[in-house]
Amino acid sequence: MTTPTGFIGLGVMGQPMALNLARAGIGLIVWNRTSSRAQALADAGAEVAATPAQVFRRAHVVFLMMMDGASMDAVLGRGTPGLAANVRGRIIVHMGTTAPGYSRALGDDIRAAGGDYVEAPVSGSRLPAEAGQLVAMLAGDPGPAGIVRPLLAPMCARVVDCGAVPSGLLMKLAVNVFLITMVTGLTEAFHFAQRHDLDLERFVAVLDAGPMASAVSRMKAAKLLAADFTVQAGIVDVLKNNQLIAAAAREAGIASPLLDVCHALFSETLALGHGGLDMAAVVKAIEARTGAVSAG
């Protein structure tokens, strides 16, 4: 029997990513804390494990698409004798977004326990994940990274080699500086147009026809136009990314003025009760600030 590939973490991003692997004919064994999220994978032919340990026992390469470092540590058994049992002789692939320092330390622990470690964070949201159009930032020793690379193909339109760990995570944070500031700027422009009673469909048409248009601007402008804030990349997740970038900037003595403004706006959006909405809902914080100015 061919050794299956493991996938742990079937959330908003992880489930469609794993489905693309299964549909490409790659044998999978998967696990998710909320078991109902694994049903789509079972329907696609994947084996569903009862515990994370079952995934590690069966698979040689295990992808982790987890919420944060604490959840990764829990499934790996980090800090316990179970870590060595889970990772020895295996390649662990970190696809989520954590602090680069955390990733570097995790890689050290995995290698000390007899495993190999690769970073492959991805750029993109739920729709690109469903379409297999993500961009992976691959980092790690050439041998393990070379084994992981072809497995990324069903999930990613492009894989970019970034060097040694934690360069993959640092690259992801750098890309997210642009993403966060760009989407926040778009929402402010939309709000400006709306408050001046412009035809918003024409506003979006001008954006789409011009040099600033992108897949992200088209996607988010359409959501703003329809007031559709169903999650592609959520406020809570974007705020977490913002905090990680700010911390990495402070550690390196780097100024991040635009990011700091975005950090405040996403924090305000969360405080207003919109944490479960898409990142385009940051417009709610801008609207609230306008309301405060008008009231003053």
Side-chain angles (χ1 to χ4, degrees), residues 94 98-108 111 117-119 165-166 169:
H94 175 11
T98 61
Y102 165 85
S103 181
R104 181 190 291 110
L106 176 62
D108 290 343
R111 285 186 289 270
Y117 178 72
V118 171
E119 291 177 340
V165 169
L169 263 300

Side-chain angles (χ1 to χ4, degrees), residues 4-5 31 43 51 59 74 130 156 196 240 266 284:
T5 295
W31 182 84
D43 294 343
T51 65
E130 291 174 350
C156 302
H196 280 282
K240 181 195 81 169
F266 278 92
K284 302 289 187 183

Side-chain angles (χ1 to χ4, degrees), residues 91-95 116-120 138-141 144-145 148 165:
I91 302 172
I92 307 302
V93 187
H94 175 11
M95 298 197 78
D116 287 303
Y117 178 72
V118 171
E119 291 177 340
L138 185 65
D141 293 338
V148 170
V165 169

Side-chain angles (χ1 to χ4, degrees), residues 19-81:
L19 279 170
N20 283 330
L21 286 172
R23 290 165 180 163
I26 295 171
L28 280 185
I29 179 167
V30 305
W31 182 84
N32 193 66
R33 191 179 308 277
T34 303
S35 58
S36 60
R37 297 285 299 176
Q39 185 57 52
L41 272 299
D43 294 343
E47 179 182 350
V48 179
T51 65
Q54 288 183 7
V55 177
F56 292 115
R57 298 297 182 274
R58 293 281 311 284
H60 175 55
V61 176
V62 180
F63 290 102
L64 301 180
M65 189 61 178
M66 310 295 294
M67 179 184 303
D68 52 28
S71 58
M72 289 178 63
D73 289 348
V75 299
L76 286 164
R78 193 176 180 201
T80 76

Side-chain angles (χ1 to χ4, degrees), residues 235 239 260-275 281-290 292:
I235 292 291
L239 181 57
D260 295 343
V261 171
C262 294
H263 192 172
L265 287 167
F266 278 92
S267 295
E268 291 166 26
T269 308
L270 181 64
L272 289 167
H274 304 305
V282 72
V283 72
K284 302 289 187 183
I286 299 171
E287 290 169 349
R289 288 195 184 192
T290 290

Side-chain angles (χ1 to χ4, degrees), residues 38 40 74 84 124 150 175 182 209 254 276 278:
V175 168
M182 176 176 62
I254 298 169
D278 185 76

Side-chain angles (χ1 to χ4, degrees), residues 110-138:
I110 287 173
R111 285 186 289 270
D116 287 303
Y117 178 72
V118 171
E119 291 177 340
V122 293
S123 180
S125 57
R126 180 177 57 83
L127 291 181
E130 291 174 350
Q133 293 295 306
L134 298 169
V135 177
M137 289 149 277
L138 185 65

